Amino acid sequence: MTRPGPVGAGWRLPLLAAGGLALLAGLYAALLLLGFGLPVPRPALADVHGPVMVLGFVGTLIALERAVALGARWALAAPGCAGAGGLTLILAGPGLPGKLLLATGGVLLLAVYRVLWRRQPGPALLAQAAGAFAWYAATLLWLAGLPIPDLVPWLATFLIATIAGERLELAHVALAGPGPQRWFLASLAALIAGAAAVTLWPAAGAHLFGVGVLAVVAWLAVFDVARRTVHARGLPRYVAAGLLTGYAWLALAGLLWAGAGRTAAGARYDATAHAVFLGFTMSMVFVHAPVILPAVLRRPLPYRPVLYAPLVLLHGTLLVRVGIGDGAGWAAVWRWAGAGNVAAVLGFVACAATLTVRSGRYAVRPRPPGLVAAGVSGSR
């Protein structure tokens, strides 16, 4: 008698492929926005670059991992709507169908967290659910007609709250007393309140949002176990290096928001947005891919030192882009450093694909909820 496969096993690869297509389309749109003379598709990808990357790609990954953690077939509808929404934006532009699909994905992810909450409530899961709410809020505001730059605080909150919640899920075993969790909840409240303030009072709200971002970064800097595992070897050190560097970029974005306030275009907008969505978020994707792929596809992505190459390239080219391209206003440097960002992401995809194909098939034991917690549990 054959044993039944894991729930939704046949849908995982297509859903991951939808996220991958969103990533490739988003990178192509990035090159167009950088001014490279590539063929411009219709509708223009540049008009949906941000939502496709954040929700179509990263949102699909996060929702897929959460669905796998829940173990319910219906939960796959969340990454399904996110992936379909991203593809619809690519093919049809920023119209109602794509926006509605992404909004539905956010609602379904909230439903997944509701079921997970019944199993194991706590501040870590609350933060991740707050991230899903921020996803939904961003899509509602987009449906209401707000431009994409006004959605950036909510899109950033989705990623920051989700990742911070997963880091708390790991760190709680080493936390003494209720103080650290109270600090975490206070910083999370400041982040959500700041995002809401940006929508209600754009000028003053951006400063408050920056304070909320810095509060979350401060908590991570003090309590994240990456401060210790960076002295380890192998995968734990690789994960910790990516995390700590990502937190530095997030701190820069928080300082720009808190000090300079709202921005919707120009060099400061480019620096702030890409400090969050490239320096912070993409770094998280890089270092947790050895966990995401085995947990989702049940195929290993073994750690190898070559994975440092795209990580170093990402942060090095982003530093040049922000420091010289945006900071000094050197357009040519900005453009080619941006191309280096794209090359870093594509290089990581190539490394991950090669290592996965070479690794062969193996069975992965079911893991508890918490992508990041599962990812470095062996380094405790």
Side-chain angles (χ1 to χ4, degrees):
M1 182 176 179
T2 59
R3 295 177 59 187
V7 173
W11 288 99
R12 297 182 187 186
L13 183 57
L15 291 173
L16 192 62
L21 288 174
L23 171 64
L24 294 177
L27 294 176
Y28 191 88
L31 293 175
L32 293 174
L33 289 168
L34 288 165
F36 288 96
L38 301 173
V40 179
R42 290 288 183 266
L45 282 177
D47 295 339
V48 294
H49 167 65
V52 164
M53 289 291 287
V54 177
L55 301 180
F57 169 53
V58 184
T60 298
L61 290 184
I62 291 174
L64 180 56
E65 190 276 334
R66 294 288 76 193
V68 171
L70 182 61
R73 190 181 301 274
W74 67 265
L76 293 172
C81 285
L87 295 178
T88 302
L89 292 179
I90 294 167
L91 296 174
L96 185 62
K99 295 177 182 179
L100 284 175
L101 281 168
L102 291 178
T104 304
V107 172
L108 290 170
L109 184 57
L110 280 169
V112 170
Y113 282 124
R114 184 173 183 269
V115 178
L116 290 173
W117 181 267
R118 292 175 179 173
R119 295 182 180 179
Q120 190 176 3
L125 197 60
L126 178 63
Q128 295 169 55
F133 170 78
W135 168 344
Y136 181 51
T139 56
L140 283 184
L141 294 173
W142 201 17
L143 284 165
L146 269 67
I148 289 176
D150 289 344
L151 311 181
V152 166
W154 286 108
L155 294 174
T157 298
F158 157 55
L159 299 169
I160 296 168
T162 300
I163 293 168
E166 292 178 338
R167 298 312 298 172
L168 174 63
E169 197 168 39
L170 175 63
H172 81 277
V173 297
L175 299 181
Q181 290 198 13
R182 290 174 181 170
W183 180 0
F184 178 86
L185 290 173
S187 64
L188 177 66
L191 183 72
I192 298 293
V198 174
T199 302
L200 297 173
W201 310 286
H207 297 284
L208 296 175
F209 180 67
V211 172
V213 172
L214 290 174
V216 174
V217 173
W219 189 93
L220 292 168
V222 173
F223 296 108
D224 198 309
V225 296
R227 294 170 58 246
R228 297 192 297 274
T229 56
V230 74
H231 301 293
R233 295 181 179 179
L235 178 61
R237 185 172 190 172
Y238 170 71
V239 173
L243 287 169
L244 295 176
T245 312
Y247 297 161
W249 284 112
L250 188 59
L252 174 62
L255 288 171
L256 290 172
W257 267 312
R262 181 177 181 269
T263 179
R268 183 158 58 86
Y269 176 77
D270 183 81
T272 305
H274 289 95
V276 175
F277 300 123
L278 272 180
F280 173 67
T281 304
M282 202 57 70
S283 186
M284 302 299 116
V285 173
F286 280 20
V287 299
H288 291 118
V291 183
I292 296 172
L293 288 180
V296 170
L297 295 180
R298 310 188 78 78
R299 284 184 66 98
L301 170 54
Y303 163 77
R304 297 290 184 271
V306 70
L307 291 174
Y308 274 104
L311 183 66
V312 171
L313 180 62
L314 174 73
H315 293 298
T317 54
L318 185 58
L319 185 63
V320 173
R321 174 177 181 167
V322 171
I324 301 177
D326 291 324
W330 290 13
V333 173
W334 169 79
R335 180 175 297 110
W336 286 104
N341 300 155
V342 173
V345 177
L346 292 176
F348 177 80
V349 171
C351 288
T354 301
L355 292 173
T356 300
V357 169
R358 289 182 176 179
S359 66
R361 298 179 180 274
Y362 86 128
V364 180
R365 293 178 299 170
R367 297 175 182 270
L371 169 64
V372 177
V376 292
S377 58
S379 64
R380 292 177 187 170

